[in-house]
PDB file of all heavy atoms in Angstrom:
ATOM      1  N   ARG U  31      16.683-214.582 112.903  1.00  0.00           N
ATOM      2  CA  ARG U  31      15.584-215.206 112.144  1.00  0.00           C
ATOM      3  C   ARG U  31      16.147-215.942 110.937  1.00  0.00           C
ATOM      4  O   ARG U  31      15.679-217.050 110.601  1.00  0.00           O
ATOM      5  CB  ARG U  31      14.600-214.130 111.681  1.00  0.00           C
ATOM      6  CG  ARG U  31      13.884-213.413 112.819  1.00  0.00           C
ATOM      7  CD  ARG U  31      13.051-212.249 112.248  1.00  0.00           C
ATOM      8  NE  ARG U  31      13.910-211.314 111.490  1.00  0.00           N
ATOM      9  CZ  ARG U  31      13.442-210.332 110.750  1.00  0.00           C
ATOM     10  NH1 ARG U  31      12.130-210.184 110.591  1.00  0.00           N
ATOM     11  NH2 ARG U  31      14.267-209.510 110.141  1.00  0.00           N
ATOM     12  N   ARG U  45      22.789-231.267 111.235  1.00  0.00           N
ATOM     13  CA  ARG U  45      22.697-230.540 112.508  1.00  0.00           C
ATOM     14  C   ARG U  45      23.685-231.088 113.523  1.00  0.00           C
ATOM     15  O   ARG U  45      24.305-230.365 114.293  1.00  0.00           O
ATOM     16  CB  ARG U  45      21.270-230.633 113.055  1.00  0.00           C
ATOM     17  CG  ARG U  45      20.277-229.826 112.237  1.00  0.00           C
ATOM     18  CD  ARG U  45      18.904-229.837 112.876  1.00  0.00           C
ATOM     19  NE  ARG U  45      17.895-229.341 111.968  1.00  0.00           N
ATOM     20  CZ  ARG U  45      16.779-229.968 111.640  1.00  0.00           C
ATOM     21  NH1 ARG U  45      16.526-231.162 112.176  1.00  0.00           N
ATOM     22  NH2 ARG U  45      15.912-229.455 110.781  1.00  0.00           N
ATOM     23  N   PHE U  84      21.288-236.322 100.075  1.00  0.00           N
ATOM     24  CA  PHE U  84      22.603-236.532  99.460  1.00  0.00           C
ATOM     25  C   PHE U  84      23.244-237.809  99.923  1.00  0.00           C
ATOM     26  O   PHE U  84      23.016-238.250 101.063  1.00  0.00           O
ATOM     27  CB  PHE U  84      23.524-235.347  99.805  1.00  0.00           C
ATOM     28  CG  PHE U  84      22.911-233.988  99.579  1.00  0.00           C
ATOM     29  CD1 PHE U  84      22.457-233.214 100.619  1.00  0.00           C
ATOM     30  CD2 PHE U  84      22.784-233.494  98.273  1.00  0.00           C
ATOM     31  CE1 PHE U  84      21.888-231.969 100.415  1.00  0.00           C
ATOM     32  CE2 PHE U  84      22.223-232.240  98.038  1.00  0.00           C
ATOM     33  CZ  PHE U  84      21.782-231.489  99.108  1.00  0.00           C
ATOM     34  N   GLY U  90      33.893-239.106  99.949  1.00  0.00           N
ATOM     35  CA  GLY U  90      33.131-238.147 100.742  1.00  0.00           C
ATOM     36  C   GLY U  90      32.410-237.062  99.961  1.00  0.00           C
ATOM     37  O   GLY U  90      31.735-236.211 100.539  1.00  0.00           O
ATOM     38  N   THR U 169      44.150-223.334  95.276  1.00  0.00           N
ATOM     39  CA  THR U 169      42.715-223.361  94.952  1.00  0.00           C
ATOM     40  C   THR U 169      42.467-224.096  93.632  1.00  0.00           C
ATOM     41  O   THR U 169      41.485-224.810  93.478  1.00  0.00           O
ATOM     42  CB  THR U 169      42.110-221.951  94.915  1.00  0.00           C
ATOM     43  OG1 THR U 169      42.898-221.118  94.063  1.00  0.00           O
ATOM     44  CG2 THR U 169      42.027-221.339  96.319  1.00  0.00           C
ATOM     45  N   ASP U 209      45.018-238.391  82.195  1.00  0.00           N
ATOM     46  CA  ASP U 209      44.035-237.337  81.923  1.00  0.00           C
ATOM     47  C   ASP U 209      44.566-236.448  80.808  1.00  0.00           C
ATOM     48  O   ASP U 209      45.781-236.470  80.495  1.00  0.00           O
ATOM     49  CB  ASP U 209      43.816-236.524  83.199  1.00  0.00           C
ATOM     50  CG  ASP U 209      42.463-235.828  83.216  1.00  0.00           C
ATOM     51  OD1 ASP U 209      41.815-235.757  82.138  1.00  0.00           O
ATOM     52  OD2 ASP U 209      42.015-235.392  84.290  1.00  0.00           O
ATOM     53  N   PHE U 231      36.191-227.455  85.622  1.00  0.00           N
ATOM     54  CA  PHE U 231      35.110-228.259  85.049  1.00  0.00           C
ATOM     55  C   PHE U 231      35.541-228.829  83.693  1.00  0.00           C
ATOM     56  O   PHE U 231      36.429-228.285  83.010  1.00  0.00           O
ATOM     57  CB  PHE U 231      33.816-227.442  84.884  1.00  0.00           C
ATOM     58  CG  PHE U 231      34.026-226.004  84.475  1.00  0.00           C
ATOM     59  CD1 PHE U 231      34.198-225.654  83.148  1.00  0.00           C
ATOM     60  CD2 PHE U 231      34.042-225.003  85.423  1.00  0.00           C
ATOM     61  CE1 PHE U 231      34.385-224.357  82.785  1.00  0.00           C
ATOM     62  CE2 PHE U 231      34.218-223.681  85.066  1.00  0.00           C
ATOM     63  CZ  PHE U 231      34.409-223.369  83.731  1.00  0.00           C
ATOM     64  N   SER U 240      30.634-220.444  80.161  1.00  0.00           N
ATOM     65  CA  SER U 240      30.649-219.139  80.781  1.00  0.00           C
ATOM     66  C   SER U 240      30.361-219.331  82.274  1.00  0.00           C
ATOM     67  O   SER U 240      29.666-220.273  82.662  1.00  0.00           O
ATOM     68  CB  SER U 240      29.641-218.206  80.149  1.00  0.00           C
ATOM     69  OG  SER U 240      28.315-218.696  80.390  1.00  0.00           O
TER      70      SER U 240
END
Side-chain angles (χ1 to χ4, degrees):
R31 297 173 301 170
R45 291 186 193 127
F84 310 104
T169 51
D209 206 345
F231 37 83
S240 65

